[in-house]
Amino acid sequence: MEKIKSKKLSLLVYDFDGVMTDNKVYVDQHGNEMVQVSRADGLGISEIRKLGIRQMILSTETNTVVSARAKKLDLFCIQGVDNKAQALTEYCNVHQISLSHVAYVGNDINDLEVMKLVGTTFCPENAHASLKEISQFILNSKGGEGVAREILDFIEKLITRK
């Protein structure tokens, strides 16, 4: 198993659609959108928080379902951004976090540039081929099927190996 580049992981950043969801949207006759998420991710995020690792959602999606899920999980959320790399760089500058101490979980081409900036990269099993090429870790989980929960297991294995 490859090691995380940085010995210190300060921030774990999740894309939303395709990472916390199965990348599908359900639309009712009134135009309301809903997505499916995994409760296992809620547990994973809670346990990762206990390890002292800050987490957040960074999404281009503007729908309020993203902020509603972030609120439920008690995660900071930046959404509706066109340039994820710029948004994450600004966030890290404000919070004095080295990008080398950031892990990013993405699934599609709009995550490529931001993933090139950070110290550690993950993607779900069903991510776009271009992300699989650059990700250090391709997870066994598909988007929306426990990605954060699997990352918790991964982090715990690294901790016990030290």
Side-chain angles (χ1 to χ4, degrees), residues 31 33-34 42 88:
E33 295 184 6
M34 293 186 305
L88 182 60

Side-chain angles (χ1 to χ4, degrees), residues 1 4 9 12 14 19-20 38-48 51 55 105 121-126 136-158:
M1 181 181 290
I4 291 179
L9 178 58
L12 177 54
Y14 306 95
V19 171
M20 294 194 160
S38 172
R39 289 197 183 271
D41 282 337
L43 176 64
I45 288 166
S46 176
E47 294 298 312
I48 290 169
L51 297 172
Q55 300 165 86
V105 191
T121 53
F122 295 91
C123 72
E125 184 276 328
N126 60 337
Q136 291 168 280
F137 306 101
I138 301 171
L139 302 169
N140 294 317
S141 303
K142 293 181 179 179
E145 296 181 2
V147 167
R149 181 64 186 86
E150 184 178 344
I151 291 173
L152 168 65
D153 288 343
F154 178 83
I155 292 169
E156 285 179 333
K157 283 179 189 172
L158 288 178

Side-chain angles (χ1 to χ4, degrees), residues 44-90:
I45 288 166
S46 176
E47 294 298 312
I48 290 169
R49 182 177 294 115
K50 290 177 186 176
L51 297 172
I53 299 168
R54 187 185 303 208
Q55 300 165 86
M56 67 180 283
I57 294 172
L58 179 59
S59 178
T60 56
E61 178 59 54
T62 58
N63 193 297
T64 57
V65 69
V66 179
S67 55
R69 184 65 176 153
K71 183 177 180 179
K72 168 96 177 172
L73 298 172
D74 193 25
L75 291 177
F76 183 75
C77 178
I78 300 174
Q79 70 178 106
V81 296
D82 292 326
N83 187 330
K84 290 183 177 186
Q86 179 181 352
L88 182 60
T89 299
E90 290 172 3

Side-chain angles (χ1 to χ4, degrees), residues 18 23 29 35 37-39 43 52 61 72 80-81 91 94 96 103-104 107 109-110 126-127 135-136 141 145:
N23 217 16
Q29 68 272 23
V35 296
V37 296
S38 172
R39 289 197 183 271
L43 176 64
E61 178 59 54
K72 168 96 177 172
V81 296
Y91 177 87
V94 167
Q96 299 179 341
Y104 189 92
N107 76 301
I109 59 172
N110 63 338
N126 60 337
S135 290
Q136 291 168 280
S141 303
E145 296 181 2

